[in-house]
Amino acid sequence: MQKQLVVTVIGTDRPGIVEELASLISAQGGNWLASSMSELAGQFAGILQVGVDESHYRPLCEALSLLDGLKVSFAEGVLGAEPERQLMLTVTGNDRPGIVHEVASILRQLGANVIDLTTGCEAAPHSGAPLFYAHTLVSLPQGLALSTLIESLESLSDDLVVDIDQDAED
């Protein structure tokens, strides 16, 4: 029987970490299913989903725990039903402290669940001022109108723009 393993990894960034993880997972009979990995302030930070036969589950966890220079933690994954409505939002606006909290709070209040989130700042094209962006895959509850979602997010600030990257209609 296949089990799902969610692995988080953090440590000083260096060449070869991804290859080391992939090699170990393959050697232990695991199948790398999905991941998100980044270098953040000189640290490697990654999270990945691995499918593994139940008989290889514990040996894989033990082998991952022994990786040199990396802090590794695990959680057993659970496969659930696919959400009914998912869409990709892009939120852009002038950067300021608390903007991620404000966006996350609106999403929670509307019953939306964050499936994937990527954020960053870049220089605005003309002014060079810091421009915040968030690319967010969200699962929406039944009955939530897209116009309500957009209006709620855009109400956070006059300069906040919300784009929906999906062929969805209210």
Side-chain angles (χ1 to χ4, degrees), residues 92-95 120-125 128-133:
T92 310
N94 291 324
D95 188 39
C121 286
E122 57 191 19
L131 190 62
F132 168 82
Y133 66 86

Side-chain angles (χ1 to χ4, degrees), residues 21-31 60:
L21 286 166
S23 175
L24 190 148
I25 289 166
S26 180
Q28 294 293 327
N31 183 20
L60 174 59

Side-chain angles (χ1 to χ4, degrees), residues 43-125:
Q43 295 292 309
F44 172 86
I47 186 165
L48 57 141
Q49 177 186 1
V50 178
V52 64
D53 189 84
E54 192 169 3
S55 64
H56 294 278
Y57 185 85
R58 184 170 297 280
L60 174 59
C61 291
E62 290 171 359
L64 287 166
S65 295
L66 297 175
L67 287 170
D68 190 37
L70 298 173
K71 295 176 190 171
V72 181
S73 60
F74 317 97
E76 188 171 334
V78 177
L79 293 179
E82 287 293 312
E84 292 185 28
R85 276 175 76 195
Q86 284 188 358
L87 59 89
M88 181 65 78
L89 297 173
T90 299
V91 178
T92 310
N94 291 324
D95 188 39
R96 65 180 185 284
I99 193 167
V100 174
H101 176 252
E102 293 169 3
V103 170
S105 181
I106 292 289
L107 292 173
R108 179 197 49 82
Q109 289 170 28
L110 294 173
N113 187 34
V114 175
I115 305 298
D116 189 59
L117 173 66
T118 302
T119 65
C121 286
E122 57 191 19

